[in-house]
Amino acid sequence: MKEFWSVFKHGISIENPLTVLMIGLCATLAVSTQVEGSLAMSVAVIFVLVMSNVLISAFRKFIPVEVRIPIFIVIIASFVTIVDLFLKAFSPDIYAVLGIWIPLIVVNCIILGRAEAFAYHNTVLLSIADGLGMGLGYTLVIVGMAFIREFFGTGQVKVMGATVLSMPSGYQGPNILLLFPGAFIVFGFIIALMRWLNDRSAARKEA
Amino acid sequence: MAAVGHYALLFIGAALINNILLTRFIALCSFFGISNNMHTAIGMSAAVVFVMMMASTTTWIVWKVLLVPLGVGEFLYIPAFILIIAALVQFVEMYLRKSSPVLYRAMGIYLPLITTNCAVLAAATEVAKPGFFKMNMAYGYSLGEGLVYTLGVAVGYGFALIAFTALRERLDIAPVPKALKGNPMSFITAGLLSLAYVGLAGWFGL
């Protein structure tokens, strides 16, 4: 159980897929203009990541090394198709926002990367922890980024049509935050911040 | 004449105005992963042009000949296209190793990486199943249009990658605050580079 938690926590901080491993960036930068869309994207990623981790770790003894990559991709593609069809059927609004990023989860390096680096060598339980931890680490960064961009860009944060938080009226946000350069720049500063925090806690441990 | 203009617009739209890296955020892993070194960036760009053209041709044919007539396109396109690309890349790699060692040495190591390069999947899907990118002009591409479009995407990819690599090589020796050194600074630079592309948005109604 202790191992479960340590694997789980790794995904959130030390091995955070976005800010440390720097994989799976494409969707993050594109989707993070809205908090709501980011949450939906995170749920989709967590689902695919945990399910494919479970399946791959359960069958790891039967998957031959030579053809493991195609097998991983087929497993991942099946779960992505489930999410794709599910969203299209039950929540067309969110599907319209996420659009092409759902099919592109197949080539999201986080998922294939975890299958290859973790699930293929570990038990089912630990792979679940890894999937959840990585997924949560992903969620924190993407939602945080979406919050910054939506709040300061438009002056309010909306979830499910209700305004959760808003700036005083008359606030005019810098439009650049919502455009694509904003994504790169905000993300650059987020990595710098995460790195600064990690360095500081490491320095404190040594002292 | 009109036809030439049509193809030119298709090419420019794909290469510059809807640049796959800087305005669509597709294939960013490779954008940041291999832009340390000019030599690698050029090799990867060439490999992407090559694989993308082949992948788009194949997915276009499979979509028109196999998936649509069988009525399974909507729910099989993701696994089908990614498998096509993975298999194709494998074949290209084997073929190059046997027949053209020079070319293999130049781009061999990038080929496996291309399987998970989202740009290839994205372009190949757009060509077969238009509207995927939500571009203003949703075509039912003919094979010729599809190939021009793909070439545009691939050239746009290469151009942005090489420009960014040049910037990054300079940044390595620039004085930058410690917390921003390396990746954070690269992202900010990419942001400034993509700012240039904002100016192109909406040209020719693309």
Side-chain angles (χ1 to χ4, degrees), chain A residues 63-109:
Chain A
I63 300 177
V65 185
E66 297 80 18
V67 291
R68 68 188 189 286
I69 303 279
I71 292 180
F72 294 166
I73 288 182
V74 174
I75 291 175
I76 296 168
S78 320
F79 286 115
V80 171
T81 308
I82 294 175
V83 174
D84 191 53
L85 294 175
F86 182 84
L87 279 181
K88 209 184 276 180
F90 291 101
S91 118
D93 296 346
I94 289 182
Y95 188 79
V97 173
L98 297 180
I100 74 167
W101 295 105
I102 297 293
L104 287 184
I105 295 178
V106 181
V107 279
N108 190 316
C109 339

Side-chain angles (χ1 to χ4, degrees), chain A residues 26 88 100 106 109 180 195, chain B residues 25 29 74 78 132 181 194:
Chain A
C26 329
K88 209 184 276 180
I100 74 167
V106 181
C109 339
F180 32 84
R195 196 187 271 186
Chain B
F25 301 114
C29 305
E74 270 315 307
I78 307 174
F132 188 63
K181 205 147 187 70
S194 78

Side-chain angles (χ1 to χ4, degrees), chain B residues 9-51:
Chain B
L9 273 187
L10 197 57
F11 181 82
I12 294 171
L16 288 176
I17 298 169
N18 290 300
N19 185 283
I20 195 162
L21 284 171
L22 291 168
T23 75
R24 299 278 148 171
F25 301 114
I26 290 171
L28 285 181
C29 305
S30 66
F31 189 54
F32 288 101
I34 56 163
S35 57
N36 308 316
N37 173 319
M38 195 48 108
H39 195 71
T40 345
I42 293 173
M44 183 68 168
S45 307
V48 163
V49 173
F50 187 62
V51 172

Side-chain angles (χ1 to χ4, degrees), chain B residues 23-114:
Chain B
T23 75
R24 299 278 148 171
F25 301 114
I26 290 171
L28 285 181
C29 305
S30 66
F31 189 54
F32 288 101
I34 56 163
S35 57
N36 308 316
N37 173 319
M38 195 48 108
H39 195 71
T40 345
I42 293 173
M44 183 68 168
S45 307
V48 163
V49 173
F50 187 62
V51 172
M52 220 185 235
M53 296 298 277
M54 295 181 63
S56 295
T57 315
T58 324
T59 52
W60 190 89
I61 294 170
V62 168
W63 176 259
K64 288 267 154 37
V65 176
L66 217 60
L67 293 181
V68 171
L70 290 178
V72 294
E74 270 315 307
F75 54 94
L76 267 188
Y77 76 98
I78 307 174
F81 290 175
I82 189 73
L83 272 186
I84 290 173
I85 294 169
L88 191 73
V89 169
Q90 199 80 60
F91 279 126
V92 170
E93 195 188 349
M94 290 191 302
Y95 177 77
L96 281 185
R97 197 181 327 182
K98 280 262 158 68
S99 69
S100 165
V102 183
L103 210 55
Y104 181 75
R105 233 174 294 138
M107 53 193 211
I109 52 166
Y110 309 108
L111 287 173
L113 292 176
I114 288 183

Side-chain angles (χ1 to χ4, degrees), chain A residues 29-30 149 179-184, chain B residues 14-28 31-32 153 156-165 167 186-201:
Chain A
L29 297 187
R149 289 179 71 192
L179 292 168
F180 32 84
F184 286 113
Chain B
L16 288 176
I17 298 169
N18 290 300
N19 185 283
I20 195 162
L21 284 171
L22 291 168
T23 75
R24 299 278 148 171
F25 301 114
I26 290 171
L28 285 181
F31 189 54
F32 288 101
V153 172
Y157 173 91
F159 178 71
L161 182 63
I162 289 168
F164 184 59
T165 309
L167 286 174
S186 306
F187 276 95
I188 294 166
T189 314
L192 296 177
L193 187 60
S194 78
L195 202 54
Y197 284 82
V198 177
L200 295 172

